[in-house]
Amino acid sequence: AAQQRAAQEQARAAQQRAAQEQARAAQQRAAQEQARAAQQRAAQEQARAAQQRAAQEQARAAQQRAAQEQARAAQQRAAQEQGRAAQQRAAQEQARAAREQARAAQRAAREQARAAAEERRGAAGSPGQTRPAQGRPEQRAVGQDQRRTTSSERQAGARMELPSARLREVQRQRQQRHEAQRTVIREPDHRAIVKDNNRTFIRHDDNQRLARSVRAAHGRRQGNAAVLSFRSRDGSQVFSEVNAEGRALRRYRRMRDGREVTLFDDRPFYGARRVGLPAAFIDLPPPTIHIAQDQYIVDYDVASEDDIYQALAAPPIEPLERSYALEEIREGYQLRARMRSVALPNIKFEAGSWEIAPDQYPKLERLARALNRILEAQPDEVFLIEGYADVLESDIDNLTLSDRRAEAVAFILSQMFGVPAESLVTQGYGDQTVAAGRGGNNQRVTVRRITPLLRQADAVALRPAAGAGTAPSAALDLNDDERDFILQNVDLSGEPRLGIGEISEGMRIPGGARLRSFPSVIRDRIPALDAFRYFVAENQIAIVDPTSATVVTIVDGKR
């Protein structure tokens, strides 16, 4: 039994050893299989990584080659553009020089003809006749020697630019539709070009420029109008309202003391009429000019800051029949011609674009100083910046280009030189206005003050100088009691003042003087003042005869 048990124990031990050996062998085989599988997976991962790296290298190489090709193509295009721009500039300079020579020759011929006529009249006149002054400017009518360029003249003229990339993008995004008797072309940034009754004009949203020119502008809906509000530089709150088509309805300031100062209000003009109105036609005869041409249209390139100030601050050259809406002023060329203007012919824009290079900004500094001088004395003044362009083949492109160029000048005046954005309005005229195609300058900007057109009661017409037919000023005799009554009822501290220094009786009213009617309480006490106007200079009230634009009496506030 002991032997049998020992044998059984040995057999069991042998079986256990055999089983353990088999298990170890199985484990070894499994480990080997796992190792081989891991090696295979590692090899596959390495292969895939190598393939990916190779693909990435190929992609990078392809990108580099493409970038190099694009850079070379861009350089070639830039060189071509520079070459074309240089050619255009050279051609423009040559054309400008030729035009200057032609104008100089015409002026010389006119002076010679005038001198010869004066000599003939002097020789033929009686001994008692007075010979007219040779230097006195003759009367001229605006528009009589101006006309729109014909198609043949335009083909022979200087359309030397190609649309820029931004303008081509605008062309691609245009949408055209027909409405009744007119065609409307919609452009991005809320612009619309309207063809109506053989006339083409452009409309834009005035609030778009204002929102870009100021900080922290807020927009809201008010009925059918969109209202933009922002804080002006003087601390007042400015509100600008446009209708559904972006046409300006009203713009006003709310002062810190709660008073509201209206810059313009076109709501009565639109009234209950439909929004999509055609252009506002103003049928006025051309004004007669009694001043020298270089004072009527001031050449910015040769004018001093005082010349610019005097032109922009001057009253209308002829009396106005009434006040006009901003829309009427924008469309009425003969109406705008009642105001003197400053022409900026040499503000350079990028070819076929409305972009202005930074090196052109300093050219606008004198204009900005003159504008700010006027606005310091009269913050509610409004100036119109007009754009003209005849440099592209398409009249539609010229129209949108001129409108955007005028807006670009206004934007720089506000951003770089602090001209209040709300005091500016812009309008483009393309090559359609009579003043655009004449004189050879096809890419200019013009600035003029339009406040007297908006508010006729504040306007006084310029008259010929004494000795040229001016009626003497009306007499006004005031006693001490009447002068004291005027001082008691005119708040000198609340009146806008014109800082011009000493004033005197008989002087012509200075540019920028805002003439006001006397309050009714004064006119009831002194009825004669109903025919006169006044302005405040320092502590003095200057009483003005509006028919001759001269100071007739001064009431001293220090009495």
Side-chain angles (χ1 to χ4, degrees):
Q3 289 176 351
Q4 287 177 352
R5 283 194 298 274
Q8 289 173 354
E9 288 296 333
Q10 290 177 352
R12 279 195 297 274
Q15 290 176 353
Q16 288 177 354
R17 287 193 299 273
Q20 290 173 353
E21 290 294 333
Q22 290 176 355
R24 281 196 295 272
Q27 289 176 352
Q28 289 176 354
R29 286 195 298 274
Q32 291 173 354
E33 290 296 330
Q34 289 177 354
R36 282 197 294 273
Q39 290 176 350
Q40 290 176 354
R41 285 195 298 273
Q44 291 173 354
E45 290 295 332
Q46 291 176 352
R48 279 197 295 271
Q51 290 176 351
Q52 290 177 354
R53 287 195 298 272
Q56 290 173 355
E57 290 295 332
Q58 292 176 352
R60 279 197 294 272
Q63 289 176 353
Q64 289 176 354
R65 288 194 296 274
Q68 291 172 354
E69 290 296 329
Q70 290 177 353
R72 282 196 293 272
Q75 289 175 352
Q76 291 176 353
R77 286 194 300 272
Q80 292 172 353
E81 290 293 333
Q82 289 176 354
R84 282 195 293 270
Q87 292 176 352
Q88 290 173 359
R89 287 194 296 271
Q92 290 172 354
E93 291 298 331
Q94 292 176 355
R96 188 176 297 109
R99 289 192 297 268
E100 290 297 331
Q101 291 177 355
R103 282 198 292 267
Q106 290 174 356
R107 285 195 297 269
R110 284 197 298 268
E111 290 297 330
Q112 291 176 356
R114 187 180 298 113
E118 293 291 344
E119 290 177 0
R120 287 195 297 272
R121 283 197 295 270
S126 62
Q129 284 182 321
T130 302
R131 185 176 178 179
Q134 192 169 7
R136 194 179 74 194
E138 59 180 355
Q139 296 183 358
R140 295 171 298 277
V142 174
Q144 291 179 352
D145 61 346
Q146 295 176 328
R147 58 186 176 85
R148 181 178 174 177
T149 53
T150 64
S151 58
S152 60
E153 287 175 331
R154 286 201 298 269
Q155 290 174 1
R159 289 191 173 183
M160 300 171 288
E161 297 181 10
L162 296 175
S164 65
R166 292 188 66 184
L167 182 55
R168 290 196 298 271
E169 183 62 26
V170 170
Q171 293 171 338
R172 285 192 292 269
Q173 296 185 43
R174 285 175 180 161
Q175 297 179 353
Q176 178 173 316
R177 73 170 186 268
H178 298 281
E179 300 177 355
Q181 301 298 322
R182 66 179 190 170
T183 300
V184 179
I185 302 173
R186 298 285 179 183
E187 291 188 342
D189 60 21
H190 298 269
R191 271 184 173 80
I193 298 172
V194 182
K195 295 182 178 181
D196 187 13
N197 293 329
N198 297 322
R199 282 188 88 245
T200 305
F201 50 92
I202 190 168
R203 292 289 180 268
H204 60 259
D205 186 342
D206 281 358
N207 283 357
Q208 296 286 314
R209 173 182 58 85
L210 294 177
R212 292 191 303 115
S213 301
V214 301
R215 294 181 180 178
H218 302 282
R220 58 183 173 86
R221 299 296 304 181
Q222 183 174 305
N224 293 326
V227 182
L228 184 76
S229 62
F230 56 91
R231 188 71 63 183
S232 184
R233 297 177 183 273
D234 61 359
S236 62
Q237 192 76 11
V238 179
F239 298 87
S240 178
E241 299 178 13
V242 299
N243 63 16
E245 286 195 346
R247 294 196 186 188
L249 293 179
R250 180 170 63 145
R251 192 177 299 169
Y252 63 97
R253 289 191 185 98
R254 182 172 296 156
M255 311 305 289
R256 293 178 177 179
D257 58 5
R259 292 182 301 112
E260 290 189 354
V261 177
T262 299
L263 298 176
F264 61 82
D265 189 351
D266 269 18
R267 293 175 302 172
F269 170 75
Y270 290 109
R273 293 178 288 181
R274 63 187 178 91
V275 173
L277 290 171
F281 293 103
I282 301 296
D283 187 13
L284 291 176
T288 301
I289 306 171
H290 298 279
I291 58 177
Q293 184 69 18
D294 58 355
Q295 295 177 1
Y296 174 62
I297 301 178
V298 175
D299 187 345
Y300 183 74
D301 290 342
V302 298
S304 67
E305 182 181 333
D306 287 338
D307 294 334
I308 299 166
Y309 175 88
Q310 292 297 332
L312 294 179
I317 63 173
E318 280 190 355
L320 301 174
E321 297 178 356
R322 60 179 176 88
S323 298
Y324 296 87
L326 176 62
E327 185 71 11
E328 294 176 303
I329 297 170
R330 277 175 158 159
E331 288 303 317
Y333 170 71
Q334 300 296 359
L335 175 59
R336 299 194 307 276
R338 264 67 180 169
M339 301 301 299
R340 294 168 61 181
S341 63
V342 177
L344 288 72
N346 288 324
I347 300 299
K348 302 296 184 183
F349 297 89
E350 300 294 336
S353 172
W354 54 92
E355 300 292 337
I356 303 178
D359 62 357
Q360 298 295 303
Y361 295 174
K363 294 182 179 181
L364 295 172
E365 184 176 1
R366 279 182 298 125
L367 173 63
R369 287 201 302 266
L371 293 174
N372 284 329
R373 281 175 59 188
I374 296 173
L375 290 169
E376 285 175 5
Q378 298 292 343
D380 56 348
E381 294 286 358
V382 181
F383 300 90
L384 175 63
I385 300 179
E386 307 166 9
Y388 299 91
D390 186 20
V391 296
L392 301 172
E393 289 299 326
S394 167
D395 292 339
I396 298 299
D397 290 341
N398 280 317
L399 194 57
T400 190
L401 186 64
S402 66
D403 197 60
R404 295 167 190 272
R405 286 180 171 180
E407 190 173 278
V409 170
F411 181 77
I412 292 172
L413 287 172
S414 299
Q415 285 289 293
M416 303 301 298
F417 302 106
V419 178
E422 66 271 18
S423 299
L424 306 176
V425 291
T426 65
Q427 183 63 43
Y429 296 99
D431 61 353
Q432 298 178 9
T433 304
V434 291
R438 303 296 291 172
N441 194 301
N442 55 13
Q443 53 175 6
R444 64 183 174 84
V445 171
T446 295
V447 182
R448 72 181 84 231
R449 185 171 68 99
I450 60 171
T451 318
L453 307 180
L454 292 167
R455 297 187 287 273
Q456 184 263 348
D458 296 333
V460 176
L462 283 176
R463 299 291 184 177
T470 301
S473 298
L476 178 65
D477 293 325
L478 298 174
N479 57 40
D480 290 343
D481 291 340
E482 290 172 333
R483 291 174 181 271
D484 290 337
F485 187 78
I486 292 173
L487 290 173
Q488 292 169 6
N489 291 277
V490 174
D491 183 8
L492 294 179
S493 63
E495 289 283 345
R497 301 179 179 216
L498 187 66
I500 61 173
E502 190 68 23
I503 57 176
S504 60
E505 294 184 5
M507 70 177 290
R508 295 184 61 81
I509 62 168
R514 175 58 53 78
L515 297 183
R516 300 179 181 275
S517 298
F518 283 95
S520 58
V521 63
I522 297 179
R523 287 185 277 119
D524 291 342
R525 169 75 179 271
I526 313 172
L529 289 180
D530 192 38
F532 293 86
R533 303 291 184 266
Y534 77 94
F535 69 91
V536 174
E538 298 303 330
N539 290 318
Q540 296 176 315
I541 300 175
I543 301 178
V544 177
D545 175 13
T547 61
S548 60
T550 56
V551 176
V552 296
T553 302
I554 298 171
V555 179
D556 195 339
K558 298 178 181 179
R559 286 173 54 86

